[in-house]
PDB file of all heavy atoms in Angstrom:
ATOM      1  N   SER A   9      97.239  92.733  90.062  1.00 98.00           N
ATOM      2  CA  SER A   9      98.083  93.845  89.598  1.00 98.00           C
ATOM      3  C   SER A   9      98.651  94.567  90.882  1.00 98.00           C
ATOM      4  O   SER A   9      97.910  95.066  91.699  1.00 98.00           O
ATOM      5  CB  SER A   9      97.214  94.790  88.884  1.00 98.00           C
ATOM      6  OG  SER A   9      97.858  96.064  88.735  1.00 98.00           O
ATOM      7  N   TYR A  11      99.953  97.510  90.792  1.00 98.00           N
ATOM      8  CA  TYR A  11      99.568  98.912  90.665  1.00 98.00           C
ATOM      9  C   TYR A  11      98.085  99.170  91.270  1.00 98.00           C
ATOM     10  O   TYR A  11      97.815 100.071  91.988  1.00 98.00           O
ATOM     11  CB  TYR A  11      99.548  99.423  89.224  1.00 98.00           C
ATOM     12  CG  TYR A  11     100.799  99.113  88.454  1.00 98.00           C
ATOM     13  CD1 TYR A  11     100.847  97.908  87.636  1.00 98.00           C
ATOM     14  CD2 TYR A  11     101.949  99.925  88.503  1.00 98.00           C
ATOM     15  CE1 TYR A  11     101.978  97.564  86.924  1.00 98.00           C
ATOM     16  CE2 TYR A  11     103.082  99.552  87.831  1.00 98.00           C
ATOM     17  CZ  TYR A  11     103.137  98.420  86.983  1.00 98.00           C
ATOM     18  OH  TYR A  11     104.197  98.076  86.267  1.00 98.00           O
ATOM     19  N   THR A  35      92.523  92.658  81.093  1.00 95.00           N
ATOM     20  CA  THR A  35      93.240  93.497  80.127  1.00 95.00           C
ATOM     21  C   THR A  35      93.346  92.829  78.782  1.00 95.00           C
ATOM     22  O   THR A  35      93.555  93.493  77.700  1.00 95.00           O
ATOM     23  CB  THR A  35      94.628  93.926  80.615  1.00 95.00           C
ATOM     24  OG1 THR A  35      95.406  92.819  80.916  1.00 95.00           O
ATOM     25  CG2 THR A  35      94.529  94.794  81.884  1.00 95.00           C
ATOM     26  N   LYS A  50      95.276  99.564  80.135  1.00 97.00           N
ATOM     27  CA  LYS A  50      95.894  99.090  81.427  1.00 97.00           C
ATOM     28  C   LYS A  50      95.037  99.345  82.542  1.00 97.00           C
ATOM     29  O   LYS A  50      94.270 100.355  82.599  1.00 97.00           O
ATOM     30  CB  LYS A  50      97.218  99.772  81.614  1.00 97.00           C
ATOM     31  CG  LYS A  50      98.336  99.452  80.531  1.00 97.00           C
ATOM     32  CD  LYS A  50      99.599 100.057  80.829  1.00 97.00           C
ATOM     33  CE  LYS A  50     100.581  99.793  79.647  1.00 97.00           C
ATOM     34  NZ  LYS A  50     101.988  99.894  80.092  1.00 97.00           N
ATOM     35  N   VAL A  51      95.151  98.475  83.628  1.00 98.00           N
ATOM     36  CA  VAL A  51      94.596  98.795  84.844  1.00 98.00           C
ATOM     37  C   VAL A  51      95.715  99.154  85.840  1.00 98.00           C
ATOM     38  O   VAL A  51      96.845  98.718  85.658  1.00 98.00           O
ATOM     39  CB  VAL A  51      93.864  97.501  85.474  1.00 98.00           C
ATOM     40  CG1 VAL A  51      92.550  97.187  84.583  1.00 98.00           C
ATOM     41  CG2 VAL A  51      94.767  96.303  85.553  1.00 98.00           C
ATOM     42  N   ASP A  64      97.601 106.949  85.296  1.00 97.00           N
ATOM     43  CA  ASP A  64      97.745 105.714  85.755  1.00 97.00           C
ATOM     44  C   ASP A  64      97.881 105.718  87.281  1.00 97.00           C
ATOM     45  O   ASP A  64      97.289 106.693  87.829  1.00 97.00           O
ATOM     46  CB  ASP A  64      98.980 105.069  85.144  1.00 97.00           C
ATOM     47  CG  ASP A  64     100.231 105.994  85.200  1.00 97.00           C
ATOM     48  OD1 ASP A  64     100.176 107.074  85.756  1.00 97.00           O
ATOM     49  OD2 ASP A  64     101.345 105.524  84.707  1.00 97.00           O
ATOM     50  N   SER A  65      98.466 104.720  87.867  1.00 98.00           N
ATOM     51  CA  SER A  65      98.300 104.621  89.421  1.00 98.00           C
ATOM     52  C   SER A  65      98.768 105.858  90.139  1.00 98.00           C
ATOM     53  O   SER A  65      98.127 106.250  91.150  1.00 98.00           O
ATOM     54  CB  SER A  65      98.860 103.324  89.942  1.00 98.00           C
ATOM     55  OG  SER A  65     100.320 103.272  89.734  1.00 98.00           O
TER      56      SER A  65
HETATM   57  N1  GSH B 301     102.171 102.751  84.863  1.00 85.45           N
HETATM   58  C1  GSH B 301     100.940 102.076  84.986  1.00 85.45           C
HETATM   59  C2  GSH B 301     101.130 100.638  84.803  1.00 85.45           C
HETATM   60  C3  GSH B 301      99.888  99.797  84.780  1.00 85.45           C
HETATM   61  C4  GSH B 301     100.070  98.358  84.208  1.00 85.45           C
HETATM   62  O1  GSH B 301     101.053  98.138  83.538  1.00 85.45           O
HETATM   63  N2  GSH B 301      99.143  97.561  84.539  1.00 85.45           N
HETATM   64  C5  GSH B 301      99.164  96.147  83.964  1.00 85.45           C
HETATM   65  C6  GSH B 301      98.585  95.182  85.001  1.00 85.45           C
HETATM   66  S1  GSH B 301      99.679  94.827  86.235  1.00 85.45           S
HETATM   67  C7  GSH B 301      98.294  96.082  82.746  1.00 85.45           C
HETATM   68  O2  GSH B 301      97.190  96.585  82.717  1.00 85.45           O
HETATM   69  N3  GSH B 301      98.874  95.502  81.623  1.00 85.45           N
HETATM   70  C8  GSH B 301      98.122  95.230  80.352  1.00 85.45           C
HETATM   71  C9  GSH B 301      98.763  95.793  79.270  1.00 85.45           C
HETATM   72  O3  GSH B 301      99.863  96.372  79.316  1.00 85.45           O
HETATM   73  O4  GSH B 301      98.364  95.609  78.107  1.00 85.45           O
HETATM   74  C10 GSH B 301     100.336 102.437  86.355  1.00 85.45           C
HETATM   75  O5  GSH B 301     101.058 102.777  87.289  1.00 85.45           O
HETATM   76  O6  GSH B 301      99.098 102.310  86.551  1.00 85.45           O
END
Side-chain angles (χ1 to χ4, degrees):
S9 166
Y11 311 95
T35 57
K50 296 184 184 202
V51 292
D64 49 6
S65 62

